[in-house]
Amino acid sequence: MTNFKVGIIGAGPSGLAMLRAFESEQKKGNPIPEIKCYEKQDNWGGMWNYTWRTGVGKYGEPIHGSMYKYLWSNGPKECLEFADYTFMEHFKQPISSYPPREVLFDYIEGRIKQSNARDYIKFNTVARWVDYLEDKKQFRVIFDDLVENVTFEEHFDYLVVGTGHFSTPNMPYFKGIENFPGVIMHAHDFRGADQFIDKDILLIGSSYSAEDIGVQCFKHGSKSITISYRTNPIGVKWPAGIEEKPLVSHFKGNTAFFKDGSSKEFDAVVLCTGYQHKFPFLPDNLRLKTKNCLYPDNLYKGIVYNENERLIFLGMQDQYYTFNMFDTQAWFARDYMLGRIDIPKKAERNIDIEKWIEKEAATKTGYDHVDFQTDYIKELISLTDYPSFDLDKVADMFKSWLNDKEENILKYRDKVYTSVMTGVTAEEHHTPWMKELDDSLERYLDEVVADEVELSKTNYY
Ligand code: FAD
Ligand code: NAP
Ligand code: MG
């Protein structure tokens, strides 16, 4: 059956994967349903569509983007590679394993530009509210066209939510912070280390944002970086200039006091305290409610909302794998909507969900997390015709990456990995990451002659 209508909210990597999945079906000559995708920004790419803005955008909507200038991939690109569109196919030459944002944006765009997907997307359009009409078995979605300033509604038989979950900050309170005289921001609003040169910076949180913003500030010349953890320190070998401390207990003026009794004065505080899964357009009975984890509750196969099986969520898990995981989810969602995959009744789905949740609860180490997500993707890939690839090898690369970071947090991005899709080994970037202050696509693809690279002795390795 293809005489039905699918609505997709968001044109980031997840929403685009959904469009690509249907397109690949269409290319085989098979009929596909009517599809419409709505994106509140003026372009696709989601997080990878960089914005200098913070707070609200041109039309007063909350800014989605959390990425910053000088953001480079924090995992090997060989772990996120699309199985149906390789880096070699896109760049026609080997590139390094850790490209900057603009290069990854170019890659994402390269695949989707091969199709007429843009015709399906209505940009500058925000989903405001969703109702499920029981009698019609349809979703009624209310949108605002931000440019025309008009409100309209559309009905869909299936609704795919691909709005991401690293956009709405989690903003904890610390006693006395309201009187802190310097800059206070959440990682969501961080747009680059420039303003923190020569400053003493406090980062609260101990996950990827704290790690990378800390390293970025170090690279670009902050005076000192202090990372304050709640549960566990990041625990890598830090260079002189970066240190970890237990959680802040309170602030007095520009001084932060830590739970170990120590204190220090700071110029700025960046809350790297994670994000909320936030769906202001979904009513209570359709809203996914979860913290950031590898297997959110209520999602069958991590995708189909258990309370309403016509509602689909993509990319809602914490992410080791990214682009290729979204693909495997989108291929599953496509085949499910096309009626090729039968799903069991709710109670049975619950048992399956429970099984995965228990499995996640038993994980302890980074390696366990990688293995968990690898198993999850293996299962999805076995159910569709998404091109299979050597997931065990990808899992090994993730584990090496974890080790590389422990070994040298400033140099891990200089390592190279081999694609399981093409067998091509990455090229070393022309400039060591710590010395590369220009993250543009142009500079990245430039063949820099040796004497152009500043070869002065460095003391941070
Ligand atoms: P998003 O990319 O967040 O896209 C969601 C889209 O939905 C956005 O375009 C948004 O505008 C739109 N949207 C939201 N609400 C609405 C609405 N109501 N109506 C219409 N449209 C809406 N992953 C990696 O693989 N490597 C990295 O190095 C990496 N670095 C990261 C750095 C940062 C700072 C962050 C926050 C994330 C990073 N990620 C990285 C993970 C990143 O989340 C994924 O790579 C990917 O962008 C997720 O895709 P998505 O489509 O699920 O969500
Ligand atoms: P995250 O992984 O969800 O981590 C949230 C952190 O906040 C945890 O360390 C958590 O500590 C801490 N936290 C939460 N509430 C707190 C509180 N009340 N007090 C103190 N600490 C608190 O979020 P993230 O680090 O922002 O990463 C989000 C995504 O962005 C990831 O996918 C990451 O890969 C991506 N990212 C990538 C780059 C890059 O370089 N490419 C850079 C930044 C981010 P507990 O352990 O105690 O819960
Ligand atoms: Mg298969």
Side-chain angles (χ1 to χ4, degrees), residues 70-185:
Y70 319 130
L71 183 134
W72 295 63
S73 177
N74 64 346
K77 74 177 196 306
E78 288 74 17
C79 293
L80 56 74
E81 191 166 19
F82 298 126
D84 68 343
Y85 187 72
T86 63
F87 280 98
M88 274 307 280
E89 185 175 349
H90 183 73
F91 288 103
K92 317 281 185 221
Q93 65 183 68
I95 60 168
S96 77
S97 279
Y98 293 87
R101 182 206 55 79
E102 207 180 310
V103 174
L104 285 175
F105 176 82
D106 197 66
Y107 173 62
I108 296 167
E109 186 170 68
R111 178 172 82 153
I112 202 71
K113 267 186 173 170
Q114 290 182 323
S115 69
N116 58 351
R118 216 172 170 93
D119 301 341
Y120 293 106
I121 307 171
K122 189 165 158 46
F123 291 100
N124 294 303
T125 302
V126 58
R128 281 277 181 248
W129 193 247
V130 177
D131 288 311
Y132 187 67
L133 311 173
E134 280 291 349
D135 50 338
K136 293 186 172 150
K137 295 211 175 313
Q138 281 190 327
F139 297 94
R140 181 178 69 125
V141 187
I142 296 171
F143 296 99
D144 271 341
D145 177 327
L146 301 173
V147 178
E148 300 299 329
N149 196 11
V150 293
T151 302
F152 65 98
E153 65 175 60
E154 293 270 351
H155 290 214
F156 305 102
D157 300 289
Y158 288 91
L159 188 63
V160 179
V161 177
T163 51
H165 59 93
F166 292 129
S167 181
T168 304
N170 171 43
M171 292 287 268
Y173 172 70
F174 297 91
K175 195 170 162 237
I177 196 170
E178 64 274 30
N179 294 320
F180 183 81
V183 170
I184 304 172
M185 65 166 72

Side-chain angles (χ1 to χ4, degrees), residues 10 12-14 39-41 46-48 64 73-74 80 127 162 164 166 322:
S14 292
E39 167 55 56
K40 78 175 193 180
Q41 303 187 62
M47 273 297 151
W48 298 93
H64 186 79
S73 177
N74 64 346
L80 56 74
F166 292 129
T322 51

